[in-house]
Amino acid sequence: MDIEDLANRVIGGERRALARAITLIESGRADHRAMAVELGKKVSGTGRQALRLGLSGTPGVGKSTFIEAFGMMLVEQGLKVAVLAVDPSSARSGGSILGDKTRMELLSRNRNAFIRPSPSQSQLGGVARRTREVVSLCEAANYDVVLIETVGVGQSETMVAEMSDLFLLLLAPAGGDELQGVKRGIMEIADLILINKADGALKPVANRTCADYSGALRLLRKRLEDPKDFPKAMTVSAVEGNGLELAWEEMNTLADWRRENGFWEARRARQARHWFEEEVRMGLLARLTKSGEMRDHMNRLGERVAMGDLAPAAAADEMLQRLGALE
Amino acid sequence: MDIEDLANRVIGGERRALARAITLIESGRADHRAMAVELGKKVSGTGRQALRLGLSGTPGVGKSTFIEAFGMMLVEQGLKVAVLAVDPSSARSGGSILGDKTRMELLSRNRNAFIRPSPSQSQLGGVARRTREVVSLCEAANYDVVLIETVGVGQSETMVAEMSDLFLLLLAPAGGDELQGVKRGIMEIADLILINKADGALKPVANRTCADYSGALRLLRKRLEDPKDFPKAMTVSAVEGNGLELAWEEMNTLADWRRENGFWEARRARQARHWFEEEVRMGLLARLTKSGEMRDHMNRLGERVAMGDLAPAAAADEMLQRLGALE
């Protein structure tokens, strides 16, 4: 495969080249990985800085309808929109919207939109690392907005937040006994909470839910990187299109403020460093468990530690000594 | 140093031996580390399973007064209480209570209490790993309750939660404009939110604050490991002693429920495995950056990644190749 040529085609905005490049990034083969790294180097620093939007919402909140409506609004404004997903394999059958492009019929057919389902790897960490690389490819291909969605299983939101400039949480109206509550950890990373389905009979419930979450957000300590009134909760209706423009305005207000106050670049720099260190750590761990023997040993020690049979530090010491003997 | 003898004295409940063993654990010297690991093996599985209580609260909420009053109540019930701290060095001057034992005058003089300030290491991760080992020592020394406090800078609460059975958040009464809000991430790990200073003129404010947080907790999704009504918020007055018995009852209700439903052991097993893997990871990273040359190289690559000059995966690849050449 000619990586130079592929890089140029990606930068030139060829959708098929982008799709092929992503397949390369997602491949588990060692030679493909080397080519993917090469490709990453070639496209690095080209293209534009997209707005990277993380989006979480459980099945049933109308996430695909929201992405369809929100994405169409953006492409109609002349923007190029990429939609990616970070879902652990186990969650795939549970209703990941991107497995089913037909639910975003208009957007998936629009030439200024690019939709890609989650890479199918068994480890969530692996899925996230590869998606992080795909985000860079989309920027090289001059996408203006990269939306990274997750159904929010396990630690997936935290990982998506680590590759996003802004994080959106989509909720359905609910009150009293129906109230499921948001997953722990999410309220902490959300920049904007959107209560969807604020239409018809659900509108008053949506307003109440919105007020509840506004109140809860006020109980959280202000982050330095948040301007006044952020994070905030607001209502939208993906079906009727209400509130989408306003939500987009709010995102830009927040993004502009962070850019002007230095938080934007600082966040991106911190994130890039995080992924670098993560890659090094995972690479080292992969070496450690490359041999079946080492992997078995690590698992056996882990079992003994879990049973309280061996102290964590002593087990780690044993593992590291074993590794030393191997070198 | 005779590690066998030291281990026996710790198990025998000698406070001076415990203090010496902790100093050994906190030492940065390689030979001390080896001895500390040896000590950990010897005491592992001895003693009792203490109730490990994580406690967070910013300066000004009356944390030292709370620990003094709560700790004294426990020792008066015939329990042995250890108080440890996890604070990053940078936070030390900012009001870590344990630097100042005089603020817990009664407790620090009680023979059934053991108070130890935070180890002074520069890295929060290092502080937490060593404190985790100290918790095990305290259990070997037959302490019934191990309270691990943090002023809550950076990720310290998350780390304390990873070594606690229950996590308490201490807040001061506040409303309207004074409301600082809790740090992001804490509401997620708190099992019990205690609004302190529910006495005198502040009592009505404390009740309102308590109602606010009760409401916010209801917006969070239920965890499997929480019985009905948990996590919950309640008021206490450390100065007057009100609510402390009730808080202790609630902690035991929650602890018993988790024990009976298998969540207690599952959590401890998961935590032990976490610290094992963390030790292995840190050990591998330490090897990687053992040589000044490697460390410089890692830093240089990190800088380039942060500046957007190099993709994280490409930089990691370079680092790992450099490491391979070294072996």
Side-chain angles (χ1 to χ4, degrees):
Chain A
M1 200 183 302
D2 184 344
I3 295 299
E4 179 84 42
D5 180 60
L6 184 60
N8 287 335
R9 286 172 191 276
V10 167
I11 294 166
E14 281 186 34
R15 283 158 52 123
R16 267 176 48 199
L18 178 59
R20 194 138 57 92
I22 296 176
T23 304
L24 188 66
I25 282 178
E26 291 173 358
S27 167
R29 274 171 52 182
D31 57 333
H32 284 172
R33 186 89 286 264
M35 285 191 273
V37 168
E38 193 53 33
L39 180 72
K41 280 186 194 164
K42 293 226 183 294
V43 304
S44 171
T46 67
R48 67 189 65 181
Q49 204 180 52
L51 179 62
R52 303 171 183 169
L53 294 176
L55 172 70
S56 177
T58 39
V61 303
K63 198 162 42 160
S64 49
T65 316
F66 173 81
I67 296 177
E68 166 94 340
F70 184 67
M72 282 310 292
M73 181 193 75
L74 297 179
V75 296
E76 275 159 18
Q77 291 183 14
L79 299 170
K80 284 181 72 180
V81 178
V83 182
L84 312 173
V86 172
D87 291 329
S89 301
S90 58
R92 207 69 44 75
S93 55
S96 171
I97 55 151
L98 293 181
D100 187 8
K101 279 197 194 179
T102 55
R103 290 209 241 168
M104 292 185 287
E105 212 179 332
L106 290 173
L107 195 63
S108 63
R109 285 192 315 224
N110 192 291
R111 51 187 293 278
N112 282 321
F114 179 85
I115 299 182
R116 179 86 181 192
S118 180
S120 53
Q121 292 201 13
S122 53
Q123 288 257 324
L124 175 60
V127 172
R129 280 152 67 212
R130 298 295 85 92
T131 304
R132 170 66 176 67
E133 290 181 61
V134 173
V135 170
S136 298
L137 275 190
C138 292
E139 294 199 322
N142 283 303
Y143 282 85
D144 301 283
V145 177
V146 181
L147 200 91
I148 311 140
E149 71 103 12
T150 177
V151 292
V153 175
Q155 295 292 305
S156 66
E157 286 102 350
T158 316
M159 290 181 181
V160 168
E162 272 298 334
M163 62 183 90
S164 306
D165 299 314
L166 307 180
F167 196 88
L168 317 175
L169 173 62
L170 200 67
L171 296 176
D177 288 349
E178 312 153 71
L179 196 71
Q180 291 295 302
V182 305
K183 213 178 97 192
R184 288 157 172 269
I186 298 226
M187 202 106 94
E188 317 301 318
I189 52 178
D191 293 304
L192 211 52
I193 294 181
L194 302 171
I195 318 292
N196 192 21
K197 304 189 181 177
D199 42 49
L202 281 175
K203 198 162 182 177
V205 193
N207 288 334
R208 264 204 313 279
T209 307
C210 185
D212 284 348
Y213 282 96
S214 295
L217 286 173
R218 274 193 291 274
L219 295 178
L220 295 176
R221 192 183 302 173
K222 222 70 191 151
R223 290 174 301 193
L224 272 177
E225 64 192 76
D226 288 331
K228 200 171 162 296
D229 295 335
F230 280 93
K232 66 171 67 173
M234 54 192 295
T235 57
V236 296
S237 163
V239 172
E240 298 188 346
N242 294 331
L244 297 180
E245 301 242 5
L246 189 57
W248 176 235
E249 269 173 39
E250 295 285 6
M251 291 174 216
N252 282 302
T253 300
L254 180 55
D256 288 343
W257 190 88
R258 286 196 184 153
R259 278 196 197 95
E260 282 156 22
N261 291 278
F263 294 112
W264 183 275
E265 286 304 324
R267 183 181 169 121
R268 286 218 165 181
R270 188 184 52 67
Q271 287 177 340
R273 209 185 260 271
H274 165 85
W275 290 104
F276 163 53
E277 288 169 5
E278 193 66 18
E279 292 275 351
V280 172
R281 263 194 296 272
M282 297 313 287
L284 284 172
L285 275 185
R287 283 184 184 202
L288 176 67
T289 52
K290 198 165 51 184
S291 85
E293 194 203 338
M294 280 293 151
R295 206 166 44 235
D296 289 351
H297 198 59
M298 182 99 184
N299 284 338
R300 257 195 319 273
L301 286 171
E303 284 302 321
R304 289 183 58 197
V305 165
M307 287 190 308
D309 190 28
L310 194 63
D317 190 59
E318 195 175 323
M319 194 68 219
L320 290 166
Q321 275 181 25
R322 176 73 71 110
L323 182 72
L326 192 79
E327 283 173 0
Chain B
M1 201 182 300
D2 185 343
I3 295 299
E4 178 85 42
D5 180 60
L6 185 60
N8 287 336
R9 285 171 192 277
V10 167
I11 295 166
E14 280 186 36
R15 282 159 50 125
R16 269 174 49 199
L18 178 59
R20 195 137 58 92
I22 296 176
T23 304
L24 187 67
I25 283 177
E26 291 173 359
S27 167
R29 276 172 49 183
D31 57 332
H32 285 171
R33 185 89 288 263
M35 284 191 273
V37 168
E38 192 53 34
L39 179 71
K41 280 186 194 163
K42 293 227 183 293
V43 305
S44 171
T46 66
R48 67 188 65 180
Q49 204 181 52
L51 178 63
R52 303 172 183 169
L53 293 176
L55 172 70
S56 178
T58 40
V61 303
K63 198 163 43 161
S64 48
T65 315
F66 173 81
I67 296 178
E68 166 93 340
F70 185 66
M72 283 309 293
M73 181 193 75
L74 296 179
V75 296
E76 275 159 19
Q77 291 183 14
L79 299 171
K80 282 181 73 180
V81 179
V83 183
L84 311 174
V86 173
D87 291 329
S89 300
S90 58
R92 209 65 46 74
S93 56
S96 170
I97 55 149
L98 292 182
D100 187 9
K101 279 195 190 180
T102 55
R103 290 209 242 167
M104 292 184 287
E105 214 179 329
L106 289 174
L107 195 63
S108 62
R109 286 192 315 222
N110 191 291
R111 52 186 291 279
N112 281 322
F114 179 84
I115 300 182
R116 180 85 179 191
S118 179
S120 53
Q121 291 199 16
S122 52
Q123 288 257 326
L124 176 60
V127 172
R129 279 152 69 212
R130 298 296 85 93
T131 304
R132 170 65 177 67
E133 290 182 61
V134 173
V135 170
S136 297
L137 276 190
C138 292
E139 294 199 322
N142 283 302
Y143 282 84
D144 302 282
V145 177
V146 181
L147 200 91
I148 311 140
E149 70 103 12
T150 177
V151 292
V153 176
Q155 296 292 307
S156 65
E157 285 102 351
T158 317
M159 290 182 181
V160 169
E162 273 297 335
M163 61 183 90
S164 306
D165 300 313
L166 307 181
F167 196 88
L168 316 176
L169 173 61
L170 199 67
L171 295 176
D177 289 348
E178 314 152 71
L179 197 70
Q180 292 295 303
V182 305
K183 213 178 98 193
R184 288 156 171 270
I186 298 224
M187 200 106 93
E188 318 301 315
I189 52 179
D191 293 303
L192 211 52
I193 294 181
L194 302 171
I195 318 291
N196 193 20
K197 304 188 183 179
D199 42 50
L202 281 174
K203 198 161 182 176
V205 192
N207 287 335
R208 266 204 313 278
T209 307
C210 184
D212 284 348
Y213 282 96
S214 295
L217 286 173
R218 274 193 292 273
L219 295 178
L220 294 176
R221 192 183 303 173
K222 223 68 192 151
R223 290 174 301 194
L224 271 178
E225 64 192 76
D226 288 330
K228 198 168 163 297
D229 296 335
F230 280 93
K232 66 170 67 171
M234 54 191 296
T235 57
V236 295
S237 162
V239 172
E240 297 187 347
N242 294 331
L244 297 179
E245 301 241 7
L246 189 56
W248 176 237
E249 268 173 41
E250 295 286 4
M251 292 174 216
N252 282 302
T253 300
L254 179 56
D256 288 344
W257 190 87
R258 286 196 186 153
R259 277 197 199 93
E260 282 156 21
N261 291 278
F263 294 112
W264 182 276
E265 285 305 323
R267 181 180 171 121
R268 285 217 165 183
R270 188 184 50 69
Q271 287 177 340
R273 209 184 260 270
H274 166 83
W275 289 105
F276 162 54
E277 287 170 4
E278 192 66 17
E279 293 274 351
V280 172
R281 263 195 297 272
M282 296 313 286
L284 284 172
L285 275 185
R287 282 184 183 201
L288 177 66
T289 53
K290 199 165 48 183
S291 85
E293 195 204 339
M294 280 295 153
R295 205 167 44 235
D296 290 350
H297 197 59
M298 182 99 185
N299 284 337
R300 257 195 320 273
L301 285 170
E303 284 302 320
R304 289 182 59 196
V305 165
M307 287 189 308
D309 190 29
L310 193 64
D317 190 59
E318 196 175 322
M319 194 68 219
L320 290 165
Q321 274 181 23
R322 176 74 71 109
L323 182 72
L326 191 81
E327 282 173 0

